[in-house]
Amino acid sequence: MKDAQKPSLMSLTSMVTRLREGRFVIPDFQRDFEWAPGDINELLRSIFRDYYIGSLLLWKGKNENFEALACESIYGFEGNNERTHIVLDGQQRLTAMYYAFMAPDKPAAKRQNRYLYFIKIDRFMEEAYDDAFVYDWTRRGLNLLEDQTRQFETHMFPLSVVGAGGFKLPNWLQNYERYWSEAAEVRDGIDSNMAQTHAENAKEFSKHLEEITQEYQISYIDLDEDIELDKVCDIFTQINSRGVRLDVFDLINALLRPKEVRLRQHLWRDAAPRLEFVETRRMNVYVLQVMSILRQSYCSPKYLYYLLPGAPRQVRGSDGIIRPEVLITDPAEFETRWWEAVEALERAIALLRNPQGFGAISSQYLPYTTILPAFASLQVEAGQLPPDIRLDGQRKIRLWYWASVFTNRYSGAVESTSARDYQDVKAWFTDDDAEPGLVVDFRRSFRDLDLAREVRRGTSVYNGIFNLLVLNGARDFVTGNVPLPGDLDDHHIVPKSKGSKYALSTPIDTILNRSPLTSETNREIIRDRLPNEYLPELIAKNDKDQVLSILESHFISDRAFEILMRDPFTPNDFEEFVAERRNTFLTGIENLLVKERLDLPKPIRELDTRIEAVELELRDTISANLNGDVKMLPSHVLQKISERFQAAAKKNPSLDADNYGDIIHKLEYADLRELQDTIENRGNWPLFQHMFVNKDLLGTRFQQYAELRNTIRHSRTVDEITQKDGEAALLWFEQILNSATT
């Protein structure tokens, strides 16, 4: 296949020859050569120790591509080059090799002096590799470069000999060996044994150098000169062995120049301040990805190429015929869509950093930056939904977002994930049965989260828990105020110093032992003290219930408080505390995220928790009074249950059909009215009459209970009458169901 890209190998000698001839040129979108002298030295050490230095990405050039990408010679090259290849990835490595092997009369990057590179042969042969590779920028180094005898005396091999070509390298090595073979005879004061050792080392070094220059292989991918630019965009990935990070933004920037679009100098320069909250070098790429997702639902490098004004992509129509389609017609449209994407990202960031939105009040607590293109694009789509379902659209985005955070979904390569999630959630907006598998998995497996091992700020789960603390309104222990973003400390509840003292099983840095406090409270008041020291002080000066309420906002339960107050506080107490707090966090994730109570005011949230408890008790009561006999469920109820289970099984193949056969598991798929129908069924009512006494009263209470439940679950405003009637029904059910179990 013409376009199949397979790695090829090139010997070091061949690579140096091509560098000397000027065959490699650098496109304008590449950044300047930036490696420090020490970086070059590390590369040389890797080569001469036969280590892999990464693969290069090259593109066979032709004049139109050389001109389109404004290609220039490698830094330090002088003379007429014989350009044949454009360097897409590997500029830093190739330039480093050129600088070391050719020794151009140029200062090193960001230095004022020229640097020269040597191998100390005696140290190399002793395998003291850390000392064997050296560089010099002083007059002494320049003098050494011009004095071969001095090189032999000091065992300093100039790497510029490798780059000189011809017979320079074998001649130098032969002369070095001869120098030491004859040294004891022709030079006074030289120990013959030492001279003989150096002569033998010279032979061995010569063999090693011959093997390295001829047999050391450098891997590269050589793109065909006629390959389409969209495919180059797709292949242009970050092979980044030690190189300066490049991305597709630089390539798109270069390709836009002939179209009079100044992407970096104008568009990105003006957009960057609006997006600076997020600390990432890829934000400029994210803008392009949002543009691409909104136009074509995909955002890999290949698809970004189609954002170029006038660039055609091939699209198969409903009739099966492939036709060219242009997404963006001209530079003016490109700029319009650029600013639409910038605005979308700006709004998305504002939502994420809102303490009542997603809780990432500081950029260091943003779970991902890579999720931004999908999140911003989905916000745009949700804003275009019919008004009556926009609220539900935002609810679904929140569920998808938190599922992504707690499943580490965006921790790797994400372009295909972003595209898939965008399409899945967009479909879910208008089809409740199209719930993405990610969300289904999150509901099922969130309790398996190993929070104890989350110790590093910046990971998605650690930051997600910290965001949850912010959303829960975690208040400062001393002031009772919510810490401001600029005055936020990541506080160890049990001091960090106790970690080494206690020899704990669970790391002291675990997120289970962390919470947000003001810097003054953390550093000046609590300092390095245990909770059993500072909490009694707070309780003595304040109401205990008030202190417990503040601790509750940090997901510290009453039981966790009791553990923290133990004196002495032992390693076992710490383990018990983090275990209790893990349970509280997981319950918080379930209530606030999985059961979607995050947006409810606290009193309504508490009502919703009670409503759920009653519903679970009703299922247990029905199962018990029917003696687990599935046949006693009304036929229409069984039919509805079966339909719902089949729909759930299609989305989640791991559902256990055997468990579904039990009545208690079947009732999980019954709605509230179907539970009522089961109780009031003519054949079943005698089994329940002793509890509920009167069918009419039961029907009234179910109606009041259902009104409150559905109003809360569908995010409608709870009016006072609905709330009061619902609370009365809730209390009625609680008393009856509790008395039945006592």
Side-chain angles (χ1 to χ4, degrees):
M1 291 176 60
K2 178 181 178 181
D3 289 337
Q5 305 305 329
K6 298 179 181 178
S8 301
L9 297 173
M10 185 187 309
S11 71
L12 180 61
T13 295
S14 297
M15 178 63 72
V16 170
T17 299
R18 296 188 187 193
L19 285 168
R20 185 170 56 250
E21 293 170 348
R23 292 183 178 273
F24 304 115
V25 291
I26 310 300
D28 181 68
F29 65 78
Q30 294 267 22
R31 296 176 179 86
D32 293 337
F33 179 53
E34 297 186 0
W35 271 15
D39 296 326
I40 299 175
N41 212 41
E42 286 299 313
L43 179 70
L44 297 171
R45 183 182 287 114
S46 295
I47 291 172
F48 283 92
R49 294 200 65 193
D50 199 20
Y51 292 165
Y52 177 64
I53 62 168
S55 187
L56 308 172
L57 181 59
L58 308 174
W59 186 12
K60 287 180 182 176
K62 54 185 178 181
N63 286 335
E64 58 201 73
N65 293 337
F66 291 139
E67 299 305 321
L69 297 179
C71 296
E72 298 179 351
S73 300
I74 277 180
Y75 176 77
F77 183 86
E78 294 179 349
N80 297 320
N81 57 27
E82 302 174 23
R83 60 186 187 180
T84 58
H85 287 80
I86 298 170
V87 181
L88 293 180
D89 190 88
Q91 176 213 1
Q92 303 294 318
R93 282 164 284 164
L94 286 174
T95 308
M97 283 189 273
Y98 182 87
Y99 193 81
F101 292 133
M102 306 304 163
D105 190 8
K106 293 278 188 181
K110 300 180 181 179
R111 300 291 197 278
Q112 294 182 345
N113 297 323
R114 178 189 185 191
Y115 279 63
L116 301 169
Y117 290 82
F118 302 87
I119 297 177
K120 298 174 71 172
I121 298 173
D122 53 343
R123 301 298 289 155
F124 186 89
M125 299 311 296
E126 292 170 4
E127 299 185 359
Y129 300 118
D130 289 342
D131 300 329
F133 295 85
V134 296
Y135 51 87
D136 198 318
W137 66 95
T138 65
R139 171 56 59 182
R140 180 184 58 194
L142 289 173
N143 291 338
L144 181 61
L145 187 65
E146 298 167 0
D147 188 347
Q148 193 173 82
T149 300
R150 183 61 181 158
Q151 295 166 13
F152 298 159
E153 289 175 353
T154 56
H155 312 288
M156 296 287 278
F157 171 68
L159 283 164
S160 58
V161 173
V162 175
F167 293 100
K168 295 288 181 65
L169 177 60
N171 287 344
W172 193 98
L173 294 169
Q174 288 173 11
N175 292 336
Y176 175 62
E177 182 185 346
R178 184 181 302 115
Y179 177 90
W180 284 105
S181 296
E182 300 172 353
E185 299 176 6
V186 301
R187 293 172 182 83
D188 295 334
I190 295 180
D191 181 85
S192 60
N193 291 331
M194 182 62 70
Q196 183 61 32
T197 298
H198 291 324
E200 291 172 359
N201 281 345
K203 287 181 182 179
E204 292 301 317
F205 182 72
S206 180
K207 289 179 184 177
H208 181 82
L209 221 59
E210 181 179 359
E211 290 177 358
I212 284 293
T213 54
Q214 298 301 322
E215 298 179 19
Y216 182 81
Q217 301 293 308
I218 297 170
S219 172
Y220 68 97
I221 293 174
D222 195 4
L223 304 184
D224 187 88
E225 63 183 353
D226 293 322
I227 193 171
E228 299 88 350
L229 272 171
D230 63 331
K231 192 164 186 180
V232 173
C233 289
D234 207 21
I235 297 170
F236 184 69
T237 54
Q238 299 159 26
I239 304 176
N240 204 17
S241 173
R242 270 198 185 91
V244 174
R245 185 182 183 90
L246 290 170
D247 51 47
V248 73
F249 180 88
D250 300 291
L251 184 55
I252 298 296
N253 177 57
L255 295 172
L256 281 169
R257 287 186 181 182
K259 302 179 184 297
E260 300 300 319
V261 177
R262 297 292 181 259
L263 184 58
R264 182 183 295 281
Q265 292 86 349
H266 171 53
L267 297 181
W268 174 239
R269 182 196 63 198
D270 293 345
R274 296 170 58 176
L275 308 173
E276 64 184 0
F277 172 79
V278 179
E279 297 176 1
T280 174
R281 293 177 61 179
R282 287 184 56 80
M283 185 59 76
N284 49 18
V285 177
Y286 295 163
V287 180
L288 294 173
Q289 289 179 339
V290 172
M291 291 174 65
S292 183
I293 291 174
L294 293 176
R295 289 295 288 131
Q296 53 189 332
S297 298
Y298 297 97
C299 61
S300 67
K302 173 180 178 178
Y303 289 94
L304 298 190
Y305 168 75
Y306 299 136
L307 298 176
L308 295 175
R313 66 170 188 158
Q314 302 300 312
V315 179
R316 187 182 299 277
S318 57
D319 56 5
I321 298 175
I322 297 176
R323 298 180 179 89
E325 177 188 60
V326 173
L327 293 180
I328 295 182
T329 56
D330 54 40
E333 184 182 0
F334 181 92
E335 293 199 17
T336 297
R337 296 199 179 276
W338 167 271
W339 290 116
E340 288 174 351
V342 170
E343 185 178 348
L345 281 163
E346 190 174 27
R347 289 198 307 269
I349 292 167
L351 284 171
L352 292 175
R353 66 186 296 192
N354 189 322
Q356 280 81 48
F358 291 83
I361 58 176
S362 170
S363 61
Q364 63 185 330
Y365 294 113
L366 187 66
Y368 301 109
T369 62
T370 49
I371 201 173
L372 282 170
F375 182 78
S377 300
L378 285 169
Q379 289 294 337
V380 172
E381 290 295 338
Q384 296 171 354
L385 292 171
D388 59 328
I389 63 171
R390 286 181 193 170
L391 187 65
D392 191 53
Q394 289 294 341
R395 176 187 71 81
K396 289 171 178 175
I397 290 176
R398 282 195 296 274
L399 252 178
W400 160 78
Y401 174 85
W402 289 112
S404 298
V405 167
F406 287 112
T407 57
N408 285 296
R409 186 167 177 80
Y410 281 79
S411 57
V414 299
E415 285 88 355
S416 59
T417 301
S418 297
R420 183 166 58 253
D421 283 1
Y422 169 78
Q423 295 171 61
D424 287 351
V425 178
K426 185 179 175 182
W428 190 27
F429 284 158
T430 53
D431 181 2
D432 288 340
D433 291 332
E435 184 175 79
L438 164 72
V439 176
V440 175
D441 291 342
F442 172 57
R443 293 183 192 277
R444 186 180 66 250
S445 63
F446 74 91
R447 286 202 167 272
D448 296 330
L449 285 169
D450 188 4
L451 298 180
R453 299 300 163 189
E454 294 294 335
V455 298
R456 187 167 59 86
R457 183 195 305 162
T459 64
S460 65
V461 175
Y462 185 104
N463 282 8
I465 291 294
F466 212 83
N467 296 165
L468 201 61
L469 284 160
V470 172
L471 292 172
N472 201 48
R475 292 176 284 148
D476 185 69
F477 289 178
V478 172
T479 67
N481 297 325
V482 175
L484 298 173
D487 184 29
L488 183 69
D489 266 12
D490 190 350
H491 164 68
H492 286 76
I493 298 169
V494 175
K496 185 177 178 66
S497 61
K498 307 302 179 185
S500 56
K501 176 182 176 182
Y502 284 161
L504 303 169
S505 299
T506 303
I508 194 74
D509 290 328
T510 175
I511 186 62
L512 298 173
N513 188 38
R514 310 290 277 271
S515 258
L517 296 180
T518 64
S519 56
E520 181 184 12
T521 295
N522 185 32
R523 303 175 196 181
E524 305 297 330
I525 298 174
I526 292 178
R527 299 188 301 278
D528 195 38
R529 297 191 294 164
L530 283 165
N532 62 17
E533 297 177 59
Y534 61 79
L535 287 178
E537 295 175 2
L538 293 175
I539 292 170
K541 298 293 184 181
N542 302 278
D543 181 70
K544 181 179 179 180
D545 290 340
Q546 199 172 15
V547 173
L548 290 176
S549 175
I550 289 174
L551 294 178
E552 184 185 359
S553 72
H554 291 259
F555 293 95
I556 298 174
S557 65
D558 289 354
R559 181 171 180 274
F561 165 75
E562 293 171 1
I563 297 169
L564 291 174
M565 290 289 285
R566 291 173 184 170
D567 191 8
F569 187 82
T570 68
N572 287 338
D573 295 326
F574 176 80
E575 300 298 339
E576 195 174 341
F577 164 68
V578 294
E580 170 63 17
R581 198 165 185 233
R582 177 183 183 272
N583 290 334
T584 308
F585 270 132
L586 294 178
T587 300
I589 291 173
E590 181 176 30
N591 287 332
L592 300 180
L593 306 181
V594 176
K595 294 179 178 175
E596 304 176 66
R597 293 170 177 153
L598 184 60
D599 295 331
L600 300 177
K602 190 171 182 180
I604 301 299
R605 191 186 301 167
E606 292 171 351
L607 274 179
D608 193 43
T609 302
R610 290 172 61 196
I611 287 169
E612 181 180 47
V614 164
E615 202 161 330
L616 293 173
E617 283 292 332
L618 280 170
R619 292 180 197 168
D620 289 342
T621 298
I622 291 171
S623 176
N625 285 20
L626 299 184
N627 287 320
D629 188 351
V630 172
K631 296 177 182 177
M632 296 185 72
L633 294 175
S635 59
H636 74 281
V637 172
L638 273 172
Q639 178 64 30
K640 287 292 185 182
I641 288 173
S642 178
E643 290 173 0
R644 294 191 188 106
F645 178 81
Q646 295 304 324
K650 287 181 181 179
K651 292 188 290 185
N652 183 10
S654 65
L655 283 178
D656 192 338
D658 293 335
N659 283 342
Y660 165 72
D662 297 340
I663 189 171
I664 194 64
H665 287 94
K666 284 187 180 294
L667 289 173
E668 291 177 4
Y669 294 91
D671 67 20
L672 187 62
R673 288 304 189 185
E674 287 154 5
L675 296 181
Q676 180 183 354
D677 289 350
T678 300
I679 294 172
E680 293 180 351
N681 178 268
R682 180 183 301 176
N684 294 340
W685 174 246
L687 301 173
F688 296 95
Q689 189 171 8
H690 69 286
M691 296 176 59
F692 300 109
V693 183
N694 185 291
K695 269 190 185 183
D696 291 337
L697 178 59
L698 176 64
T700 299
R701 293 306 190 193
F702 258 115
Q703 180 64 32
Q704 294 169 330
Y705 174 85
E707 280 292 327
L708 179 62
R709 175 192 184 278
N710 294 337
T711 299
I712 293 174
R713 295 288 168 87
H714 294 289
S715 302
R716 298 194 293 264
T717 302
V718 182
D719 63 76
E720 187 174 359
I721 294 175
T722 299
Q723 183 170 340
K724 294 297 183 185
D725 284 349
E727 287 177 336
L730 192 57
L731 183 60
W732 186 80
F733 275 113
E734 286 172 339
Q735 290 177 344
I736 288 175
L737 294 170
N738 286 340
S739 64
T741 57
T742 56

